[in-house]
Amino acid sequence: MGFGEEAKHNKPVVLVTGSSGLIGTALIKQMAQRYQIIGFDNVGFPFPPAQAENVPIDLTDAESLTRGMARVRYAYGDQIAAVVHLAAYYDFSGDPSPLYEALTVRGTERLLHALRGFTVERFIFSSTMLVHKPTQPGQPIHEEWPLAGKWDYPQSKIETEELICREREGMPVALLRIAGVYTNECDSIPIAQQIRRIYENRLTSHLYPGNLSHGQSFVHLDDTVTAILQTVQQRNDLPEEATILIGEPETYSYGQLQQALGRLLHGDATWKTETIPKEMAKVGAWLQGKVPGVEEPFIKPWMIDLADDHYELNISRARHLLGWEPQHRLIDTLPAMVQALHADPAGWYEHHELEPPADLPETAPSVNQRENEKRHEPA
């Protein structure tokens, strides 16, 4: 018996787009006991977990999406408890891309139109806290905070949120504005890059072109999945249009993370970080990108303009509407991230798709090991 032939009569159906991604994979594994799950992802992407039926579709292709929805109707009927829309385009290069419009914005529009023949109890959109204008320390952002998409990614999310509210045609929606996601293994590009710079003791690990007291909110993958799952579970109790910020209420500054990582990686409790002018940093980033044979730097000139941005969240609405509270703290998870690097440096670099240094050891001693070695060194 195939997917949907029996379960459609006893388990609510949930459709997850971007089902092979970090969040989609973890979400499907958590939901499988209570829901029948269909995974939509691009042709050629890794399959979602075995708990979901994989339906390869291309959100930039209307015919592909039509075929996918025909499969959903044939196998599961026209009743869908929730659509969790995770698929979107994201790129750290800063270069303009037509995929922000074609995939994130118009792909969502195609999906909404394809769902009009179905009864959907809740359409859940994975947005970002970056749609908001930055704030200052001590002034948490709330859901009515002004919007300001400062680069293509958050701007595409703003446009998509507006499109969803305009095109939903009575379908209840939830816009989850999610902070930067991380895991125990890191799986956060900005944090992995910061760890790498300090681990390799690069010059850039001691320089920062912004306010060291500013930072941004993060949220553990497990807490992100829980927030989405609770949105699905409470889909019929939420307002017709529910906008909810999802992130840890404690925001750790760049300076705090530098100190914590310096201590964990090198046993240095006073990792020195100097503030440098933005124009100097831009010139340095530009030059690094032009040197033949040198790996292209992660820090791009456009990022430097955002170095002062601060994102601190008021999550009272998530607490009230979802009963959601993060169970993890970034600062408490940093030791696990660093331990993964110490245990298997080559594997850590491979996992994060980073070029390892030439002198990378097979294993690296932890801070505790180094402290024990120092105690036993001859005077």
Side-chain angles (χ1 to χ4, degrees):
M1 184 171 291
F3 274 106
E5 294 175 15
E6 175 185 6
K8 69 180 182 181
H9 299 296
N10 53 39
K11 282 186 181 180
V13 173
V14 174
L15 171 62
V16 179
T17 73
S19 53
S20 300
L22 180 71
I23 298 176
T25 297
L27 178 65
I28 288 169
K29 290 178 180 179
Q30 285 294 316
M31 298 181 72
Q33 293 299 316
R34 303 180 65 169
Y35 301 95
Q36 181 65 43
I37 306 169
I38 311 148
F40 274 15
D41 217 326
N42 207 358
V43 178
F45 272 48
F47 283 4
Q51 295 92 332
E53 177 178 0
N54 175 55
V55 180
I57 60 98
D58 181 355
L59 284 175
T60 68
D61 182 343
E63 290 187 9
S64 172
L65 188 53
T66 297
R67 290 193 297 271
M69 295 311 300
R71 167 59 190 169
V72 173
R73 186 184 299 278
Y74 172 78
Y76 303 93
D78 60 5
Q79 301 289 317
I80 300 177
V83 175
V84 182
H85 184 30
L86 303 172
Y89 182 72
Y90 188 92
D91 181 20
F92 268 109
S93 73
D95 296 331
S97 172
L99 286 175
Y100 284 114
E101 175 72 13
L103 175 57
T104 304
V105 182
R106 296 305 151 203
T108 301
E109 183 177 44
R110 293 183 191 95
L111 179 60
L112 289 170
H113 291 178
L115 289 168
R116 285 180 178 169
F118 293 77
T119 299
V120 179
E121 295 178 41
R122 182 68 56 170
F123 185 92
I124 302 168
F125 178 58
S126 172
S127 189
T128 172
M129 70 176 181
L130 299 176
V131 300
H132 288 287
K133 181 180 178 181
T135 184
Q136 295 292 322
Q139 300 178 25
I141 291 169
H142 51 75
E143 286 80 1
E144 281 70 46
W145 198 266
L147 303 182
K150 299 183 70 174
W151 53 292
D152 289 350
Y153 172 67
Q155 184 57 43
S156 71
K157 293 289 190 175
I158 291 174
E159 293 175 16
T160 305
E161 285 189 10
E162 292 172 347
L163 182 147
I164 290 169
C165 293
R166 186 172 65 246
E167 299 282 339
R168 68 184 184 87
E169 293 197 349
M171 179 168 52
V173 300
L175 310 176
L176 302 185
R177 293 175 177 165
I178 302 172
V181 176
Y182 68 92
T183 68
N184 285 3
E185 294 73 34
C186 188
D187 290 307
S188 163
I189 293 174
I191 298 175
Q193 289 285 348
Q194 190 173 1
I195 290 173
R196 177 200 198 183
R197 290 192 296 271
I198 295 176
Y199 177 65
E200 297 177 17
N201 199 8
R202 294 187 173 196
L203 174 62
T204 52
S205 72
H206 298 281
L207 305 173
Y208 189 63
N211 191 324
L212 287 167
S213 69
H214 289 192
Q216 75 164 68
S217 175
F218 285 88
V219 61
H220 196 283
L221 175 63
D222 292 350
D223 290 324
T224 306
V225 167
T226 298
I228 297 172
L229 181 57
Q230 290 178 205
T231 305
V232 174
Q233 291 171 348
Q234 299 179 53
R235 61 191 178 276
N236 296 318
D237 300 323
L238 299 173
E240 283 285 302
E241 292 184 12
T243 302
I244 308 172
L245 283 163
I246 302 295
E248 294 173 17
E250 305 94 345
T251 292
Y252 303 101
S253 71
Y254 189 84
Q256 286 177 303
L257 295 183
Q258 286 283 99
Q259 293 299 314
L261 290 171
R263 177 179 56 79
L264 290 167
L265 288 162
H266 298 293
D268 188 344
T270 57
W271 190 260
K272 190 174 181 180
T273 308
E274 300 285 350
T275 301
I276 62 171
K278 285 183 170 52
E279 290 308 313
M280 182 185 296
K282 287 181 182 179
V283 171
W286 182 84
L287 287 174
Q288 276 187 284
K290 298 296 182 181
V291 177
V294 176
E295 181 186 5
E296 184 178 354
F298 171 71
I299 300 296
K300 305 294 193 299
W302 70 271
M303 296 180 185
I304 294 166
D305 288 328
L306 308 179
D308 285 321
D309 288 358
H310 182 75
Y311 286 90
E312 182 176 335
L313 304 184
N314 177 338
I315 62 167
S316 58
R317 184 176 293 182
R319 292 184 177 114
H320 174 67
L321 292 180
L322 303 179
W324 178 83
E325 185 83 35
Q327 300 303 302
H328 300 76
R329 297 168 73 236
L330 174 61
I331 204 75
D332 295 334
T333 311
L334 291 180
M337 296 183 190
V338 171
Q339 180 54 40
L341 170 58
H342 283 147
D344 181 11
W348 189 90
Y349 273 82
E350 182 179 2
H351 177 79
H352 295 289
E353 299 180 355
L354 298 173
E355 184 70 26
D359 58 349
L360 186 71
E362 291 186 9
T363 60
S366 68
V367 169
N368 288 337
Q369 286 174 312
R370 283 194 293 269
E371 288 177 350
N372 287 333
E373 289 169 0
K374 287 179 182 178
R375 290 193 198 101
H376 293 88
E377 287 177 356

